[in-house]
């Protein structure tokens, strides 16, 4: 049987048959495939990925004509045709298609943007091709490939393990097993599982839809998380919809009581509802978030969950890894401490033999680079290598010397190496003093031991390693503090090393030894430990379970917490944090659990991402205030005009023009210039509603003022008054955007050219419609100038009212500062 036949071979057979038979079945061997054969198989089997359900674009477009809002517009179209208002029929039809086209296009663009960003997070795998190990995209793996998986890797395809040490595999997401399972030579590991411990090679026997995951995960859709900010904005939308419907029912009731034509009243009521309901809100949300994600990507921060942008804006505590984030992760060797009878160069050589350059581990590369005489390594052949893992905290190599002697070497945490050594009692005091001395100077320590033949381990000495702080870390931490974000250092190093680094970075030196934190699987952090965690400046000797406990304790104390991580065991803490951040070089498992993945090293990119997230929040806040204020002023004015004055201040077609022009331009708020807040953002509904209501009330007074002036002072006929009111609602509505977008005076922040241009363009169109009377009574340039002047005067008054509203709110806030809402944990 050839490789071509494996597509139809029952997977269970491939999973259990002897390895030699499997190799024959799929036409491969432990040496892997040639590059040419891999290309042929890729063409035959396809990419190693689950085929996504492709939505028909035409059907997707038609979906925009289905739902409560489209139904209202469609009923308005039908009613216009029934009463013979063909101009209204045409314009409302244009509105219907415009909403569908804008929504479809913007969602399509946002989807493309997010797909492009996620493509940067594609998993790569080590594959043996043409006898050499190379890195390829996981989607290019084919049956017959030999892959290498190690700690932290997500298994890229179903494979059978070749000769090597057992590995521990977390396949809970696939099988429901809560604990990692051990897999030995010949046993299967499944695509999507995570390597928790060990390193080994495997022979791929199934890819894509033929994998265990592919067979059991059909039709599984991605769960989309909605942030509490998005939920709050959608609640505003629901509130406005209910308000609009109640007032429209009131209008219809009054019209029926007065004996007005029912069909025309229904048509007007429906169109008014469409204008009042925030039709553009979902589109504005998705566009703003997608634009923000693209900006963050330009800063080398890839957003894997759009809602996390808002969490980032509200984050007030950032727990940051030390190594590689606050430091350069470029280790330098110091002068080793040698126990009596050992030479420093022999200690470094032994440590180098317990290292492997191809793993590209920072410590291994530093140790190997510290060997001055490479000949010291030439007399040994490695027969077995055990890589580092967080549980055992050491590496080990078994060697054959040229004289036939078997030698073992190991390096790792000094206390772990001491525990192995037969001479521990004799050297422990000196080793402890050496480690403490190195720690006070900011050095990490690496214990080294050797065992010759059947003899026990002998402790050789301690190698000091220094990882200097990044040049921008101190400045970045200061910037974070200025923005109201507390940075807490998290490190597995000793307390003395953490304190020394904190001094160099200008951080507080209250470093808590994580050993005091209750972090067992079934334990919760005590109230006493919670207080310690909140007050600490950092944490030393941290294990992964401590990270989870730290996040949980801070969240219980009402903090919105960010956590950085890079290892497979960091994944639970990254998932638990409000904003999990996988740092540059993180394992696949950490990146899969994180909300944001950094593509460049250091903390500065996180700070830039916080700034941008807060800007995005400001834009959404501005839109919410504008939308509430505009709905209040338009629908209340219409309702009161009909009930009190028995006068329809605008026609149905005018409402359509208002909705079409205003919703089209407001999308540009996603690109507006804003200043980021110096404090973490939170959704303050009280302030938003108070300011929006104040502006809405001012708009109501403004509209009735113009109506009374036109009718009582200038004695204009009502057809002309309707056109004046239409132009005033259009102009004043968009001027409200410039009031709502700043907390200070409207001139305190210049608007983005695209927002200014969009408003100028739409209001030029609105003015021309009113001046020349397109489907309404023309008013001429003179009255248009009067309306513009009137709206501008009230615009200045509204701006002062806004400043007063914020001043009152700030005084109340200072008197009774609200406590931040507890951060919801993510599912």
């Amino acid at each position: 049987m050839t490789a071509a036949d494996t597509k139809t071979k029952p997977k269970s057979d491939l999973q259990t048959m002897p390895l030699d038979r499997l190799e024959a079945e799929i036409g491969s061997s432990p040496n892997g495939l040639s590059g040419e054969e891999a290309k042929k198989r890729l063409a035959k089997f396809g990419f190693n990925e689950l085929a996504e359900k492709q939505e028909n674009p035409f059907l997707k477009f038609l979906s925009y004509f289905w739902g409560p809002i489209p139904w209202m517009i469609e009923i308005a179209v039908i009613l216009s045709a029934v009463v013979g208002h063909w101009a209204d029929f045409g314009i409302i039809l244009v509105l219907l298609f415009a909403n569908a086209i804008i929504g479809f296009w913007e969602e399509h663009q946002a989807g493309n943007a997010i797909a492009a960003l996620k493509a940067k997070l594609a998993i790569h795998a080590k594959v043996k091709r043409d006898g050499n190990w190379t890195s390829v995209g996981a989607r290019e793996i084919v049956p017959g490939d030999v892959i290498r998986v190690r700690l932290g890797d997500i298994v890229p395809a179903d494979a059978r393990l070749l000769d090597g040490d057992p590995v521990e595999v977390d396949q809970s997401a696939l099988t429901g097993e809560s604990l990692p399972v051990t897999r030995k030579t010949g046993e299967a590991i499944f695509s999507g599982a995570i390597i928790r411990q060990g390193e080994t090679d495997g022979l791929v026997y199934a890819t894509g839809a033929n994998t265990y995951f592919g067979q059991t995960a059909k039709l599984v859709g991605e769960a989309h998380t909605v942030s509490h900010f998005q939920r709050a904005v959608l609640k505003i939308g629901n509130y406005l919809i209910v308000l609009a419907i109640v007032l429209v029912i009131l209008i219809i009731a009054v019209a029926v009581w007065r004996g007005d034509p029912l069909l025309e009243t229904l048509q007007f009521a429906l169109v008014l509802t469409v204008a009042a309901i925030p039709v553009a809100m979902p589109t504005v949300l998705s566009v703003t978030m997608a634009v923000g994600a693209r900006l963050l990507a330009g800063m080398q921060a890839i957003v894997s969950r759009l809602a996390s942008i808002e969490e980032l804006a509200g984050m007030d505590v950032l727990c940051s890894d030390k190594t590689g984030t606050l430091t350069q992760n470029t280790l330098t060797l110091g002068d080793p401490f040698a126990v009596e009878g050992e030479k420093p160069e022999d200690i470094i050589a032994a440590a180098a033999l317990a290292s492997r350059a191809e793993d590209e581990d920072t410590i291994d590369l530093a140790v190997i680079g510290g060997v001055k005489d490479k000949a010291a390594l030439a007399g040994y052949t490695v027969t077995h290598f055990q890589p580092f893992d967080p549980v055992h905290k050491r590496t080990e190599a078994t060697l054959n010397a040229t004289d036939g002697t078997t030698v073992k070497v190991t390096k790792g945490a000094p206390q772990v190496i001491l525990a192995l050594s037969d001479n521990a009692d004799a050297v422990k005091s000196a080793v402890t003093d050496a480690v403490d001395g190195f720690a006070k100077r900011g050095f990490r320590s690496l214990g080294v031991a050797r065992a010759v033949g059947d003899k026990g381990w002998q402790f050789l000495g301690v190698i000091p390693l220094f990882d200097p702080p990044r040049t921008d870390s101190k400045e970045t931490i200061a910037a974070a503090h200025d923005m109201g974000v507390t940075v807490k250092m998290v490190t597995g190093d000793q307390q003395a090393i953490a304190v020394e680094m904190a001094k160099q970075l200008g951080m507080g030196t209250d470093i808590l030894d994580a050993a005091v934190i209750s972090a067992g699987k079934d334990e919760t952090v005590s109230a006493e430990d919670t207080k310690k965690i909140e007050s600490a400046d950092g944490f030393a000797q941290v294990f992964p379970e401590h990270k989870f406990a730290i996040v949980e304790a801070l969240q219980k104390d009402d903090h919105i917490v960010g956590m950085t991580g890079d290892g497979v065991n960091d994944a639970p803490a990254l998932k638990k944090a409000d904003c999990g951040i996988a740092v540059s070089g993180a394992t696949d498992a950490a990146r899969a659990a994180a909300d944001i993945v950094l593509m460049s090293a250091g903390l500065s990119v996180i700070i830039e991402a916080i700034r941008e997230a807060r800007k995005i929040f400001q834009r959404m806040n501005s839109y919410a205030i504008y939308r509430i204020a505009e709905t209040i002023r338009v629908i209340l004015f219409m309702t009161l005009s009909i009930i009190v004055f028995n006068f329809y201040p605008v026609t149905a077609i005018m409402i359509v023009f208002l909705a079409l022009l205003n919703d089209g331009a407001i999308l540009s708020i996603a690109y507006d210039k804003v200043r980021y807040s110096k404090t973490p953002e939170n959704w303050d509904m009280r302030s938003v509603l108070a300011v929006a209501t104040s502006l809405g009330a001012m708009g109501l007074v403004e509209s009735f003022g113009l109506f009374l002036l036109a009718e009582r002072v200038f004695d204009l006929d009502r057809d002309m008054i309707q056109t004046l009111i239409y132009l005033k609602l259009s102009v004043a509505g968009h001027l409200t955007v410039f009031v709502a977008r700043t907390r200070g005076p409207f001139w305190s922040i210049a608007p983005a050219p695209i927002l200014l241009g969009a408003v100028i363009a739409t209001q030029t169109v609105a003015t021309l419609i009113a001046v020349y009377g397109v489907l309404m009574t023309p008013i001429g340039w003179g009255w248009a100038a009067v309306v513009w002047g009137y709206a501008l005067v009230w615009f200045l008054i509204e701006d002062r009212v806004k400043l007063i509203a914020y001043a009152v709110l700030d005084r109340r806030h200072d008197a009774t500062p609200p406590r931040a809402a507890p951060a919801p944990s993510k599912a």
Side-chain angles (χ1 to χ4, degrees):
M1 185 179 290
T2 65
D5 300 315
T6 63
K7 209 165 189 178
T8 57
K9 185 74 176 175
K11 181 171 64 64
S12 58
D13 288 356
L14 299 177
Q15 187 177 315
T16 57
M17 69 173 56
L19 269 176
D20 54 351
R21 275 191 57 201
L22 176 65
E23 290 169 8
E25 288 276 357
I26 63 177
S28 186
S29 72
N31 291 322
L33 304 173
S34 67
E36 192 63 33
E37 178 62 21
K39 287 181 182 177
K40 290 179 183 177
R41 297 193 183 194
L42 185 63
K44 183 174 292 290
F45 297 120
F47 287 112
N48 176 36
E49 58 190 7
L50 296 182
E52 293 186 15
K53 184 181 178 182
Q54 297 294 326
E55 193 167 14
N56 186 302
F58 180 68
L59 295 178
K60 177 66 176 175
F61 177 70
L62 290 181
S63 71
Y64 286 88
F65 296 90
W66 187 262
I69 293 174
W71 290 339
M72 290 180 184
I73 303 176
E74 287 154 11
I75 293 171
V77 170
I78 294 169
L79 289 175
S80 297
V82 170
V83 298
H85 288 185
W86 297 110
D88 291 5
F89 172 86
I91 295 297
I92 297 172
L93 204 60
V94 168
L95 172 64
L96 181 66
F97 275 90
N99 276 334
I101 291 169
I102 290 172
F104 173 78
W105 178 251
E106 291 298 344
E107 186 171 330
H108 176 70
Q109 290 293 90
N112 286 348
I114 301 310
L117 296 180
K118 288 190 174 182
K120 295 185 178 182
L121 303 181
I123 295 173
H124 283 69
K126 286 276 188 183
V127 179
K128 206 171 199 178
R129 297 270 174 88
D130 296 314
N132 298 314
W133 288 105
T134 184
S135 178
V136 302
R139 68 195 297 264
E140 298 175 15
I141 291 174
V142 295
D145 265 328
V146 172
I147 58 172
R148 173 166 290 175
V149 289
R150 57 181 302 205
L151 174 71
D153 286 351
I154 294 177
V155 178
D158 287 2
R160 297 280 297 281
L161 298 186
L162 298 173
D163 289 339
D165 292 329
V167 293
E168 285 195 8
V169 182
D170 179 354
Q171 50 191 31
S172 57
L174 306 176
T175 65
E177 295 169 290
S178 59
L179 296 175
V181 294
T182 301
R183 290 288 177 258
K184 303 173 184 177
T185 299
E187 295 183 330
I189 53 175
F190 300 132
S191 172
I194 299 171
I195 304 298
R196 289 288 186 184
Q197 186 177 321
E199 177 177 324
T200 192
D201 299 341
L203 178 63
V204 173
Y205 67 85
T207 59
N210 294 317
T211 62
Y212 180 90
F213 178 78
Q215 292 295 318
T216 57
K218 289 177 180 177
L219 306 179
V220 174
E222 181 182 358
H224 296 280
T225 304
V226 180
S227 72
H228 54 266
F229 174 71
Q230 286 174 299
R231 285 196 295 270
V233 174
L234 293 174
K235 283 181 182 177
I236 292 173
N238 293 336
Y239 163 75
L240 295 179
I241 288 172
V242 171
L243 175 64
I245 290 173
V246 168
L247 293 180
V248 163
I249 291 173
L250 183 59
I251 289 173
I252 293 172
V254 171
V256 170
W257 177 69
R258 287 175 177 165
D260 295 340
L262 183 59
L263 281 178
E264 292 190 13
T265 302
L266 284 173
Q267 182 201 21
F268 179 86
L270 281 167
V271 176
L272 177 58
T273 305
V274 170
I277 290 173
V279 179
M281 182 173 283
T283 305
V284 172
L285 268 171
S286 62
V287 171
T288 304
M289 292 293 183
V291 168
R294 288 199 295 268
L295 288 170
L296 291 177
M299 301 172 186
Q300 300 297 299
I302 308 300
V303 177
S304 61
R305 188 178 68 99
L306 277 184
S308 63
I309 291 174
E310 185 271 330
E311 311 288 1
L312 193 61
M315 184 174 71
D316 64 323
V317 176
L318 173 61
C319 297
S320 173
D321 271 344
K322 179 180 76 70
T323 305
T325 304
L326 298 176
T327 64
Q328 296 179 21
N329 201 21
T330 52
L331 296 176
T332 303
L333 265 62
D335 295 328
F337 160 78
V339 301
E340 188 175 350
E342 298 294 339
K343 298 178 181 178
E345 57 269 26
D346 291 341
I347 297 171
I348 296 175
L353 289 169
S355 305
R356 188 158 65 178
E358 65 192 69
D359 287 349
E360 299 180 354
D361 179 83
T362 306
I363 293 176
D364 284 6
L365 293 176
V367 171
I368 293 171
V371 178
K372 296 178 181 178
D373 182 10
K374 302 300 181 183
L377 310 180
Y380 298 92
T381 302
V382 179
T383 60
H384 178 265
F385 183 82
Q386 180 67 42
F388 177 87
D389 68 76
V391 177
H392 298 99
K393 287 186 172 289
R394 67 186 183 93
T395 64
E396 180 183 321
T398 302
L399 317 164
N400 279 340
T402 51
D403 61 2
T405 307
T406 299
V407 179
K408 289 184 178 182
V409 286
T410 185
K411 72 178 193 309
Q415 67 272 22
V416 172
I417 305 301
L418 268 176
L420 284 175
S421 304
D422 291 347
N423 61 338
D425 292 340
V427 302
K428 185 173 183 179
S429 177
V431 170
T432 302
D433 290 343
V435 169
D436 290 344
F438 287 141
K440 289 176 182 177
R441 294 161 54 197
F443 285 88
R444 296 174 65 181
S445 294
L446 200 63
V448 184
R450 178 175 57 212
V452 180
D454 296 331
K455 297 179 181 178
W457 289 102
Q458 294 295 307
F459 196 95
L460 304 180
V462 180
I463 298 176
L465 298 164
F466 179 63
D467 184 10
R470 293 179 59 85
T471 55
D472 60 348
S473 289
K474 186 174 183 178
E475 181 183 344
T476 301
I477 290 169
H481 281 237
D482 289 342
M483 295 169 65
V485 179
T486 300
V487 180
K488 296 179 184 288
M489 180 193 298
V490 180
T491 178
D493 288 338
Q494 290 180 303
Q495 196 171 15
I497 296 175
V499 169
E500 178 62 27
M501 184 57 64
K503 289 177 182 176
Q504 294 185 39
L505 295 174
M507 302 174 68
T509 55
D510 181 12
I511 305 296
L512 184 68
D513 189 325
V516 305
I517 301 173
S518 300
K521 183 180 176 185
D522 298 321
E523 296 179 28
T524 57
V525 181
S526 66
E528 184 180 353
D529 282 350
T530 297
K531 290 180 181 178
K532 291 179 183 177
I533 289 170
E534 186 176 33
S535 62
D537 298 311
F539 310 92
Q541 301 199 113
V542 171
F543 283 82
E545 59 268 25
H546 293 133
K547 282 191 171 186
F548 189 93
I550 289 166
V551 171
E552 186 176 47
L554 290 169
Q555 286 178 335
K556 285 182 178 177
D557 215 33
D558 296 343
H559 292 286
I560 295 182
V561 185
M563 171 65 79
T564 69
D566 61 357
V568 60
N569 288 322
D570 291 333
L574 293 176
K575 198 74 175 175
K576 174 68 174 172
D578 298 288
C579 190
I581 303 167
V583 298
S584 176
T587 60
D588 294 336
R591 297 201 303 180
D595 304 306
I596 295 175
V597 180
L598 305 184
M599 308 302 285
S600 62
L603 195 64
S604 59
V605 65
I606 301 177
I607 304 305
E608 286 301 319
I610 293 172
R611 290 192 180 110
E612 192 56 46
R614 291 185 185 180
K615 289 180 181 179
I616 294 166
F617 191 101
Q618 291 285 341
R619 295 181 186 112
M620 296 307 306
N621 198 63
S622 300
Y623 173 73
I625 293 173
Y626 157 77
R627 185 66 261 185
I628 297 170
E630 194 60 15
T631 298
I632 289 174
R633 67 172 57 181
V634 169
I635 199 163
L636 278 181
F637 173 61
M638 304 254 184
T639 304
L640 292 175
S641 296
I642 292 168
I643 293 174
V644 177
F645 296 101
N646 193 21
F647 170 56
Y648 285 78
V650 290
T651 64
I653 202 67
M654 292 175 181
I655 296 173
V656 171
F657 279 138
L658 283 172
L660 189 60
L661 293 175
N662 286 16
D663 280 353
I666 201 62
L667 288 173
S668 60
I669 203 168
Y671 301 88
D672 191 23
K673 288 182 181 177
V674 291
R675 291 197 190 112
Y676 64 86
S677 171
K678 289 290 188 180
T679 56
E681 295 281 14
N682 57 56
W683 185 239
D684 187 355
M685 185 72 79
R686 183 183 65 174
S687 293
V688 169
L689 290 176
V691 173
T693 302
S694 300
L695 296 178
M698 292 302 298
L700 187 63
V701 173
E702 176 185 350
S703 296
F704 274 117
L706 180 62
F707 168 68
L708 293 173
L709 283 173
E711 185 175 66
R712 305 289 169 84
V713 177
F714 298 109
D715 198 25
L716 299 178
D717 64 75
R718 289 201 162 181
D719 287 343
M720 193 166 181
I721 291 175
Q722 283 181 325
T723 308
L724 288 175
I725 294 294
Y726 157 73
L727 183 58
K728 181 265 160 193
L729 290 175
S730 184
V731 172
H734 266 174
L735 288 177
T736 302
V737 173
F738 299 109
V739 175
R741 59 183 292 276
T742 64
R743 276 187 69 98
F746 71 89
W747 65 81
S748 57
I749 305 174
I754 187 172
L755 175 62
L756 187 61
V759 171
I760 291 173
T762 54
Q763 294 319 303
T764 298
V765 172
T767 302
L768 291 173
I769 289 172
V771 168
Y772 294 107
V774 179
L775 302 175
M776 62 187 72
T777 302
I779 59 173
W781 286 104
W783 282 112
V786 169
V787 171
W788 268 91
Y790 183 83
L792 287 169
V793 169
W794 276 96
F795 163 69
L796 298 175
I797 295 172
E798 283 181 21
D799 198 52
R800 301 309 301 175
V801 169
K802 173 199 69 179
L803 296 177
I804 293 170
Y806 275 126
V808 171
L809 288 167
D810 288 343
R811 280 199 296 271
R812 289 182 178 176
H813 182 273
D814 292 340
T816 55
R819 189 168 177 78
S825 61
K826 294 179 300 191

